């Protein structure tokens, strides 16, 4: 399975999200972080991610006669490269978007199911904005977003930090018009 296929499942994508920030976690710890998914399913997807090189074994120890593995995310393998994105078919993009949307919905529902969920206090946001942009303005905005987000992607998991899921979604809803509309004649 290639990286596109490995990351193309909501549970595997949720495992990748849970592992970000330099964490090393056991599969049991991952199950606790994704409580709405069965343990067997989490174990199966961790095995696939490990076999595909997205997760690696950080260490192993014997616990009550069994070997417990702690995994870490291979950052260099946990994203889709630009060439793969460019060569993806429209159906590939459709499936990837459906996976991202399903993952986002599952993560949000898991958040709301927590005992002390407080969207207002946690500054939860899910606004959508329709903006008009030229190609140059679009590229400038993407660059500005990357400049704001990229440095924070390297933040390690620490006791004073909460993990947030940030999902920028951007696509054109209309074709640009060749000339301004002048009304009826």
């Amino acid at each position: 399975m290639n990286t596109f296929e490995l990351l193309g499942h909501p549970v595997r994508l949720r495992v990748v999200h849970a592992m970000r920030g330099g964490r090393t976690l056991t599969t049991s710890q991952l199950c606790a972080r994704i409580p709405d998914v069965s343990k067997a399913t989490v174990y199966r997807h961790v095995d696939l991610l490990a076999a595909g090189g997205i997760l690696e074994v950080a260490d192993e120890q014997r616990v009550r006669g069994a070997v417990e593995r702690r995994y870490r995310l291979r950052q260099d393998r946990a994203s889709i490269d630009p060439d793969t994105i460019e060569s993806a078919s429209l159906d590939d993009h459709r499936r990837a978007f459906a996976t991202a949307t399903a993952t986002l919905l599952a993560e949000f529902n898991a958040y709301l199911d927590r005992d002390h969920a407080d969207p207002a206090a946690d500054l939860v946001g899910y606004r959508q904005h329709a903006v008009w942009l030229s190609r140059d303005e679009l590229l400038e905005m993407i660059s500005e977003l990357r400049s704001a987000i990229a440095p924070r992607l390297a933040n390690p998991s620490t006791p004073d930090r909460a993990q947030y899921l940030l999902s920028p979604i951007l696509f054109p809803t209309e074709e640009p018009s060749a000339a301004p509309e002048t009304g009826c004649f």
Side-chain angles (χ1 to χ4, degrees):
M1 227 183 270
N2 65 33
T3 304
F4 198 78
E5 293 167 327
L6 280 168
L7 297 178
H9 190 282
V11 172
R12 291 193 293 268
L13 198 51
R14 291 181 71 191
V15 168
V16 168
H17 292 323
M19 297 298 297
R20 295 230 186 250
R23 289 181 169 154
T24 58
L25 300 172
T26 66
T27 308
S28 293
Q29 290 170 320
L30 282 166
C31 289
R33 292 181 184 278
I34 310 172
D36 55 307
V37 177
S38 76
K39 288 181 181 185
T41 299
V42 173
Y43 273 81
R44 184 173 63 249
H45 288 292
V46 165
D47 285 344
L48 285 170
L49 289 168
I54 291 176
L55 296 180
E56 65 184 1
V57 176
D59 63 66
E60 297 179 335
Q61 63 183 8
R62 285 221 169 268
V63 177
R64 292 183 294 274
V67 175
E68 181 181 67
R69 291 182 181 93
R70 295 179 64 79
Y71 294 93
R72 77 173 141 248
L73 185 65
R74 293 210 31 213
Q75 298 288 346
D76 60 321
R77 302 286 312 268
S79 62
I80 311 294
D81 64 86
D83 291 339
T84 301
I85 292 171
E86 194 168 315
S87 67
S89 70
L90 293 178
D91 282 338
D92 290 336
H93 284 283
R94 187 172 282 118
R95 283 189 296 276
F97 188 81
T99 297
T101 303
T103 303
L104 190 59
L105 185 58
E107 291 281 10
F108 192 67
N109 283 328
Y111 161 74
L112 292 176
D113 288 343
R114 287 190 216 146
D115 289 340
H116 302 290
D118 187 344
D122 293 336
L123 302 176
V124 170
Y126 40 82
R127 292 175 183 86
Q128 294 181 349
H129 305 280
V131 295
W132 295 87
L133 302 168
S134 68
R135 177 80 177 173
D136 288 342
E137 291 167 331
L138 174 61
L139 292 171
E140 181 181 18
M141 185 182 75
I142 290 170
S143 176
E144 290 167 354
L145 289 169
R146 283 184 181 147
S147 294
I149 296 168
R152 288 158 181 88
L153 294 176
N155 286 355
S157 172
T158 61
D160 65 324
R161 286 188 171 131
Q163 186 182 47
Y164 288 80
L165 185 59
L166 178 63
S167 297
I169 298 170
L170 176 71
F171 58 91
T173 58
E174 296 180 5
E175 297 275 340
S177 54
E181 294 181 24
T182 57
C184 300
F185 20 97

